[in-house]
Amino acid sequence: MEKFEVNILGCGSALPTTRHYPSSQVVNIREKLFMIDCGEGSQTQLRRSRLKFSRLNHIFISHLHGDHCFGLIGLLSTFGLLGRTASMHIYSPAELETLLQPQLDFFCKGIDYKVVFHPFDTNVSSLIYKDRSVSIHTIPLQHRIACCGFLFREKPTPNHIIRDMIDFYDIPTFAINAIKNGEDYTLPDGTVIPNSRLTCPSAPPRSYAYCSDTIYLPRLADTVRGVDLLYHEATFANSESARAKETFHTTAAQAAQLAKDGAVKRLLIGHYSARYEDESTLLKEAREIFPETIAAKENLCIAL
Ligand SMILES: [Zn+2]
Ligand SMILES: [Zn+2]
């Protein structure tokens, strides 16, 4: 199966701790890298991950709180030092360009690559990226400021040809593509060989949803329905549910309820409040509702 991995670079929240880096992840789809959020220290973590810098051409920023974007200028500056020439595409709420461009003009004068901003509207879900293997839509969230998650969907791949059958019926090469795309084959004597005899289904397309930061939104269950992996913020434990609501964050139990209602395959929680010495309470509270829960940690890599 082709590569589809989620690498955790950081999974803490706004207050720095010595145990976690702030939010950042890299989704690796067939060695094309997509960074989601870029908190302080993301470039150091990217080094540690051994992911190739040159494979990263797209960065997605969920919202303009510092724990999700303070790492950008450092990362972009380093790319300049490394002699990068390929454009870097940044997808974010509109204000980022106004904030970051002056820093680029001042600190990154003379870099040999372009930073291309792709602002998105955080009120509606929209398609912000697609290529041959994946599409990425925004997921409007509800936070203290404009914020979106991201939904990665692999494109379906054509059925696999069964070689033995092709040989058996002596099917010419020029007919193979049509068969891959689902057509039957008609032999010279008029006999129709159904497609199901000639092919076997390829692996179903995989999907990954990233939701951080947000108040608990039960309606998200429909958006993330059936995804292979849901990352959802779980800033607080049950005991802090009032605080979660006040600050437009989610508890671990609420994240788990969403995973259950959306019948996702696995839940990955993160964006832990600095108040927790470790994440065992959060993980326990989530697993009571949705057993297939994983606690994010730095340098964790999850294959879909
Ligand atoms: Zn945050
Ligand atoms: Zn935030």
Side-chain angles (χ1 to χ4, degrees), residues 1 30 41 46 86 88 92 193 210 230 238 256 259 275 279 294:
M1 204 140 52
R30 305 171 193 197
L46 188 58
M88 176 62 84
S92 71
I193 312 297
Y210 173 90
L230 166 65
N238 277 332
R275 74 193 62 213
E279 285 70 57
I294 307 160

Side-chain angles (χ1 to χ4, degrees), residues 42-270:
S42 295
Q43 58 168 322
T44 319
Q45 283 294 87
L46 188 58
R47 272 266 188 251
R48 202 161 275 147
S49 72
R50 306 232 165 98
L51 293 162
K52 284 206 185 87
F53 280 31
S54 59
R55 298 271 183 183
L56 175 63
N57 296 313
H58 303 275
I59 301 177
F60 299 81
I61 301 294
S62 63
H63 65 300
L64 302 180
H65 275 157
D67 55 322
H68 298 257
C69 61
F70 279 173
L72 271 175
I73 189 66
L75 180 74
L76 296 173
S77 165
T78 299
F79 282 143
L81 295 175
L82 292 172
R84 181 187 178 99
T85 53
S87 296
M88 176 62 84
H89 297 270
I90 303 183
Y91 307 76
S92 71
E95 300 90 331
L96 183 66
E97 182 170 2
T98 326
L99 297 166
L100 196 59
Q101 191 61 55
Q103 296 183 53
L104 288 167
D105 294 341
F106 187 89
F107 293 109
C108 304
K109 232 177 265 153
I111 56 170
D112 291 325
Y113 71 96
K114 276 204 198 95
V115 176
V116 186
F117 291 93
H118 301 268
F120 55 71
D121 179 350
T122 54
N123 296 306
V124 287
S125 170
S126 54
L127 175 69
I128 49 171
Y129 175 86
K130 68 171 185 205
D131 64 20
R132 274 189 308 170
S133 44
V134 68
S135 69
I136 304 173
H137 281 84
T138 55
I139 306 174
L141 300 173
Q142 218 174 309
H143 192 39
R144 300 195 301 283
I145 58 169
C147 182
C148 268
F150 304 103
L151 180 58
F152 289 67
R153 280 193 189 284
E154 202 175 30
K155 294 201 175 145
T157 44
N159 286 348
H160 294 302
I161 291 285
I162 304 171
R163 275 283 145 211
D164 287 349
M165 286 298 169
I166 302 301
D167 294 346
F168 182 79
Y169 291 112
D170 202 16
I171 297 174
T173 324
F174 68 80
I176 301 277
N177 256 345
I179 294 170
K180 267 192 188 171
N181 289 321
E183 284 180 28
D184 297 334
Y185 182 72
T186 308
L187 296 177
D189 70 359
T191 316
V192 175
I193 312 297
N195 188 272
S196 57
R197 275 197 73 118
L198 304 172
T199 64
C200 56
S202 58
R206 292 160 291 177
S207 49
Y208 173 56
Y210 173 90
C211 297
S212 184
D213 301 358
T214 185
I215 199 165
Y216 173 44
L217 288 178
R219 65 167 164 81
L220 280 187
D222 287 328
T223 312
V224 303
R225 190 162 303 284
V227 296
D228 293 85
L229 183 67
L230 166 65
Y231 172 84
H232 200 288
E233 71 133 291
T235 310
F236 295 109
N238 277 332
S239 55
E240 301 291 331
S241 60
R243 179 104 186 105
K245 210 172 169 184
E246 258 167 47
T247 55
F248 287 80
H249 283 298
T250 304
T251 65
Q254 289 168 335
Q257 189 60 48
L258 191 69
K260 189 178 172 188
D261 294 344
V264 310
K265 297 206 178 80
R266 283 187 291 172
L267 169 67
L268 176 64
I269 54 169

Side-chain angles (χ1 to χ4, degrees), residues 274-295:
R275 74 193 62 213
Y276 302 110
E277 280 298 314
D278 66 74
E279 285 70 57
S280 55
T281 307
L282 299 170
L283 186 59
K284 183 170 162 281
E285 288 180 1
R287 280 189 175 161
E288 274 163 17
I289 294 167
F290 191 76
E292 291 304 311
T293 303
I294 307 160

